[in-house]
């Protein structure tokens, strides 16, 4: 297997683990018998809840850094994320809006 494919496979595995491991940890924490929440468990829950949004933000920032000519596309995508977050709340809607905005603007700028 060439070096390129090793990078693709390892990147895919890393991406999968970044999404799967927090879900498994959260399921493990909820499977415990009921007991009072500790400050540490509240902090851990908050961190796990924001992990997805943090990963999407990292992807948007990395995409802007790797394509200097499209930095404005990243800024507009980030603005779309903020607008939908303020309008609807949640994580899925803003994520979808940011990805859609980035993809459409990148396609329009390319051709």
């Amino acid at each position: 297997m060439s070096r390129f494919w090793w990078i693709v496979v390892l990147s895919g595995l890393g991406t999968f683990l970044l999404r799967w491991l927090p879900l498994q940890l959260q399921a493990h924490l909820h499977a415990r018998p009921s007991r009072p929440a500790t400050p540490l468990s509240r902090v851990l829950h908050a961190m796990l809840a924001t992990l997805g949004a943090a990963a999407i933000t990292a992807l948007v920032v990395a995409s802007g850094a790797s394509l200097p000519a499209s930095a404005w596309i990243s800024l507009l995508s980030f603005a779309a994320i903020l607008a939908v977050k303020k309008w609807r709340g949640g994580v899925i809607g803003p994520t979808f809006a940011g990805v859609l905005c980035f993809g459409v603007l990148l396609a329009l700028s390319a051709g």
Side-chain angles (χ1 to χ4, degrees), residues 18-58:
L18 278 174
R19 284 152 179 78
W20 183 74
L21 287 174
L23 291 174
Q24 293 303 310
L25 180 60
Q26 195 168 17
H28 174 72
L29 291 175
H30 285 300
R32 291 183 180 174
S34 235
R35 60 182 184 178
T38 64
L40 179 61
S41 68
R42 285 193 291 268
V43 169
L44 182 60
H45 179 71
M47 288 173 57
L48 290 174
T50 59
L51 188 62
I56 296 299
T57 303

Side-chain angles (χ1 to χ4, degrees), residues 83-96:
V84 173
K85 176 70 174 172
K86 185 163 180 66
W87 175 52
R88 299 287 297 181
V91 174
I92 296 172
T95 301
F96 180 73

Side-chain angles (χ1 to χ4, degrees), residues 58-100:
L59 289 172
V60 170
V61 170
S63 67
S66 64
L67 303 169
S70 68
W72 63 274
I73 294 174
S74 293
L75 290 174
L76 288 174
S77 299
F78 187 65
I81 292 169
L82 292 177
V84 173
K85 176 70 174 172
K86 185 163 180 66
W87 175 52
R88 299 287 297 181
V91 174
I92 296 172
T95 301
F96 180 73
V99 170
L100 181 66

